[in-house]
Amino acid sequence: MIKSTENFDMVVMFDYTDREDGKEELLGIEELEQTLENVTPVLYIKETESIDVVLVELGTDSVEVANKINNTPTKIISRVVPINTVVGTSQKSIINKIKELSVDLTKPNDTFLIKCYEENKNNINCQKIRKHVMNEFINMDLTFSEKNPKWVVYIEIIGENTGLSILESSDFNENNPIN
């Protein structure tokens, strides 16, 4: 099993559609810091290989902070995902950890949705991961549902690290469309 080399509690994506001044990443980070200045006393922002994605370490509940960001009008922040755990980017590591996380949370006949995002292109394919996780969940007597899932599985592939979360859909107010 591949071990992660990073630790982070949240993935934040920026949208720079209307900007071309070379300062895009700084503007996104500045907006994130301003949005969170009264929310959390500890905040560590890590840049990634992609200028439109940063990783955030927090000293508090990442779901609460992500909801705060999603409920605040922002210009550059386009997507925020709280992260429960980080694993090394390998299909086996991702699937095993998702199964491990889901055992304590889900009950037979619960509904679920899987969202997978790949920020840096590598050998992992979101469609394959989604299919494998879906098969594992169906074998656990869970039901796939795009419209009304009880649980949403987030898989954030960022280079050699993958952030994972299984969140109750009623707990997390995501502002972006379902993938």
Side-chain angles (χ1 to χ4, degrees):
M1 187 178 299
I2 299 174
K3 295 199 180 238
S4 67
T5 57
E6 288 283 347
N7 187 31
F8 50 94
D9 303 303
M10 200 164 53
V11 175
V12 179
M13 180 174 250
F14 304 122
D15 180 8
Y16 301 121
T17 306
D18 300 329
R19 302 193 179 272
E20 292 182 20
D21 57 9
K23 297 180 182 175
E24 291 89 354
E25 190 170 30
L26 292 175
L27 292 170
I29 290 171
E30 185 176 286
E31 182 178 71
L32 179 60
E33 288 174 334
Q34 288 173 350
T35 304
L36 296 179
E37 71 184 349
N38 295 323
V39 177
T40 180
V42 178
L43 174 70
Y44 182 61
I45 299 171
K46 301 175 184 182
E47 296 176 18
T48 65
E49 294 175 15
S50 176
I51 66 163
D52 59 349
V53 178
V54 293
L55 309 175
V56 181
E57 282 187 45
L58 301 164
T60 189
D61 179 18
S62 63
V63 173
E64 181 181 320
V65 173
N67 281 329
K68 167 70 174 160
I69 294 169
N70 284 334
N71 291 321
T72 302
T74 58
K75 294 178 183 175
I76 298 172
I77 297 171
S78 64
R79 185 168 55 87
V80 179
V81 177
I83 299 298
N84 295 127
T85 192
V86 181
V87 298
T89 299
S90 79
Q91 184 171 310
K92 185 177 181 179
S93 295
I94 293 167
I95 292 168
N96 286 343
K97 194 57 156 181
I98 290 288
K99 282 174 43 179
E100 181 183 316
L101 290 172
S102 67
V103 167
D104 294 332
L105 296 172
T106 62
K107 294 181 174 91
N109 299 317
D110 278 355
T111 56
F112 70 93
L113 176 66
I114 301 166
K115 296 186 178 190
C116 184
Y117 302 94
E118 186 178 359
E119 307 306 336
N120 299 74
K121 301 299 177 205
N122 53 36
N123 295 330
I124 298 292
N125 179 296
C126 272
Q127 292 296 81
K128 276 186 176 178
I129 295 287
R130 238 189 234 131
K131 183 179 177 183
H132 285 288
V133 172
M134 187 177 297
N135 288 337
E136 291 292 337
F137 276 22
I138 289 169
N139 289 337
M140 295 168 58
D141 291 326
L142 301 174
T143 304
F144 177 77
S145 172
E146 277 190 42
K147 298 202 186 277
N148 236 350
K150 177 174 181 165
W151 300 100
V152 181
V153 177
Y154 292 93
I155 303 168
E156 292 284 332
I157 301 170
I158 303 162
E160 60 190 40
N161 298 288
T162 298
L164 304 172
S165 288
I166 299 177
L167 303 173
E168 201 158 352
S169 58
S170 61
D171 290 344
F172 179 52
N173 176 22
E174 186 180 19
N175 280 345
N176 63 308
I178 291 175
N179 274 9

